[in-house]
Amino acid sequence: MERADVLVVGAGPAGTTVAAGLAARGHDVLVVEEHGRVGHPVQCAGLVSQRVLDLAGSQSMVLDAVAGASVFGPSLGSVSFTAEGPRAFVIDRAGLDVLLADKAARSGARFATGVRFDRVVASRSGPIVAHLTDTEGRSREIEAKVVVGADGVASAVARAFRLRRPVEVLPAFEAEIPRSPGDARQVEVYLGNEISPGLFGWWIPDGSGGARVGVAASAGPVTARAYYDRLIRQVERRFRTTLPGPTAMLVSGIPIGTLPKTSTDRAILVGDAAAQVKPLSGGGIFTGMRCATIAVDVLDRALRAGDLSAAALADYDRAWQAELGEEFRQALFLRRLFVRLSDADLDRLIEALQGSDLKASIVAFGDIDFPTHVARKLLRQSPSLLRLFPKAVSAWLGGGPPVAPDLEPGPRRSAQ
Ligand SMILES: Cc1cc2nc3c(=O)[nH]c(=O)nc-3n(C[C@H](O)[C@H](O)[C@H](O)COP(=O)(O)OP(=O)(O)OC[C@H]3O[C@@H](n4cnc5c(N)ncnc54)[C@H](O)[C@@H]3O)c2cc1C
């Protein structure tokens, strides 16, 4: 039977980061990817921070730099923030995946594309035997000391190892528009319960005159595609023009809410499979790659010690939670407040943010990877913002616990 020390399932940025790190430390790593080509199909808007470029160790996939953002309320009132230098980067997302896969392969990781992980065949106390199927329907089995589930939001590895799934998956729809009437250095964000209840719509210049336009919203009777159509009508109103039809479209999901456990005996989850995604934006490239680098340290130690038990691998949960857990918890708390805002509240939010002091704070302190820092600052700074939210926020601002009883659980207010 084929063997590897580590079976990594999924060649997205989280999986290839783990593969590169462990292969570089001398472990025998096999990456299986169900698609025939790494990076395809692209399921991402590709807006990242400098931290992603640093983790990737390259700028080669950068298509453009973005210096600011405009946020539109449901009535199209807006607030714009522009910094002096780049605050985020639009990347060739397939290019990032290929770059990271190349790095892993150069470090010695083996790749099998067009090969899907299906299930675990035997999971006694010894090594894992995994059942794989290729695109021609041929099956094979592989024995591995440990399995890394980097297989995205619908993780088969999580299911196979009975690890809990995220409480919420936001359906998302994105399209590429070949010609953008917008400012090529500004990202646009569209809020509104008719367009994207639970998150927002986005308009991201693609660095070549077009834009990536998409929406993610709480699951419900309206499909992500229907929300997208509404977003396009809203964007057309904003630009007072008819947009050209899309050249490419994608449908996917964004996991929200951290998992109670991302490791067990002989298995860990990373990236979207572990719901390591920023709850206020749905972005997961930085957080997934960062947690993947943490996983490398823990797995390297565990492999060397020959102890891949749940107790040993729980160090991974502890380590990534210590770094990102608090930000995720606070962001989830803020998200719970955000989803309750009516359209009238969202318009008032935009109005409140128009104050120059608040805008200056956002420009100075805004960080797409750690948005709760600036949120806390803004709420402290502005009584009119604070009035939009329940008392729970005061406790949060005072350093109290991020979850208050009046937020658990409750219906989202409808548009009004
Ligand atoms: C519409 C949309 C826009 C987004 N925009 C941004 C953004 O602008 N910035 C940002 O930071 N994040 C964004 N995200 C989130 C980001 O795309 C993910 O967080 C990121 O891709 C997670 O990386 P990953 O490696 O964990 O998983 P993925 O990138 O999803 O990779 C998982 C891989 O596993 C493979 N796979 C799945 N199942 C199996 C199996 N059983 N066997 C073998 N292979 C398997 C898949 O084919 C895939 O290649 C967006 C998400 C969506 C849906």
Side-chain angles (χ1 to χ4, degrees), residues 26-308:
H27 302 287
D28 174 27
V29 180
L30 174 68
V31 183
V32 293
E33 165 54 52
E34 68 178 348
H35 289 110
R37 267 172 84 198
V38 168
H40 296 273
V42 172
Q43 294 195 314
C44 183
L47 187 72
V48 300
S49 64
Q50 176 67 45
R51 291 185 188 93
V52 168
L53 312 184
D54 294 345
L55 284 167
S58 172
Q59 313 254 348
S60 62
M61 65 296 192
V62 173
L63 300 174
D64 213 345
V66 169
S70 295
V71 183
F72 291 83
S75 306
L76 284 179
S78 68
V79 56
S80 299
F81 319 100
T82 308
E84 288 192 354
R87 293 307 280 265
F89 300 88
V90 179
I91 59 163
D92 166 7
R93 170 58 205 265
L96 171 71
D97 289 19
V98 169
L99 177 112
L100 295 172
D102 279 350
K103 192 166 155 187
R106 273 186 279 110
S107 301
R110 295 178 282 139
F111 278 76
T113 51
V115 174
R116 190 182 69 228
F117 166 92
D118 298 314
R119 60 184 185 275
V120 166
V121 179
S123 61
R124 302 166 307 273
S125 51
I128 300 296
V129 178
H131 186 276
L132 310 173
T133 307
D134 70 17
T135 39
E136 260 88 65
R138 287 181 301 244
S139 300
R140 68 197 222 220
E141 290 181 354
I142 172 158
E143 189 182 276
K145 292 177 185 164
V146 65
V147 178
V148 175
D151 49 344
V153 59
S155 176
V157 174
R159 272 201 310 279
F161 286 89
R162 298 178 194 283
L163 286 161
R164 290 247 297 273
R165 305 309 303 130
V167 278
E168 203 182 350
V169 175
L170 305 182
F173 187 95
E174 188 184 81
E176 286 175 26
I177 303 284
R179 187 168 40 77
S180 168
D183 178 340
R185 289 177 55 79
Q186 284 283 111
V187 167
E188 299 198 346
V189 172
Y190 290 84
L191 305 178
N193 289 305
E194 289 297 318
I195 292 172
S196 53
L199 204 70
F200 50 76
W202 59 87
W203 176 276
I204 298 176
D206 67 6
S208 56
R212 298 166 183 172
V213 189
V215 68
S218 303
V222 180
T223 62
R225 170 67 208 239
Y227 282 127
Y228 169 83
D229 290 338
R230 293 179 189 179
L231 170 68
I232 287 295
R233 287 197 290 276
Q234 180 79 327
V235 175
E236 288 183 334
R237 269 199 291 280
R238 174 240 178 306
F239 287 122
R240 295 196 179 89
T241 184
T242 305
L243 295 168
T247 48
M249 292 183 273
L250 73 88
V251 187
S252 192
I254 297 179
I256 300 285
T258 46
L259 307 183
K261 251 172 74 168
T262 55
S263 63
T264 184
D265 273 317
R266 294 188 181 270
I268 67 156
L269 304 178
V270 284
D272 276 20
Q276 287 156 340
V277 169
K278 294 172 275 181
L280 287 173
S281 69
I285 301 177
F286 161 65
T287 42
M289 287 177 72
R290 180 62 205 136
C291 292
T293 61
I294 293 170
V296 169
D297 287 338
V298 174
L299 288 172
D300 178 42
R301 250 193 336 265
L303 284 159
R304 285 181 198 289
D307 180 4
L308 294 150

Side-chain angles (χ1 to χ4, degrees), residues 290-356:
R290 180 62 205 136
C291 292
T293 61
I294 293 170
V296 169
D297 287 338
V298 174
L299 288 172
D300 178 42
R301 250 193 336 265
L303 284 159
R304 285 181 198 289
D307 180 4
L308 294 150
S309 64
L313 298 187
D315 279 355
Y316 165 63
D317 277 285
R318 279 190 285 275
W320 80 255
Q321 284 279 356
E323 198 171 310
L324 293 172
E326 191 54 26
E327 171 68 19
F328 283 172
R329 269 188 293 282
Q330 304 222 357
L332 279 169
F333 167 78
L334 284 176
R335 183 164 183 279
R336 259 187 233 130
L337 297 172
F338 173 75
V339 299
R340 286 165 182 240
L341 296 180
S342 66
D343 278 1
D345 291 335
L346 290 169
D347 280 329
R348 278 194 285 272
L349 175 71
I350 296 297
E351 224 171 273
L353 289 174
Q354 283 161 348
S356 57

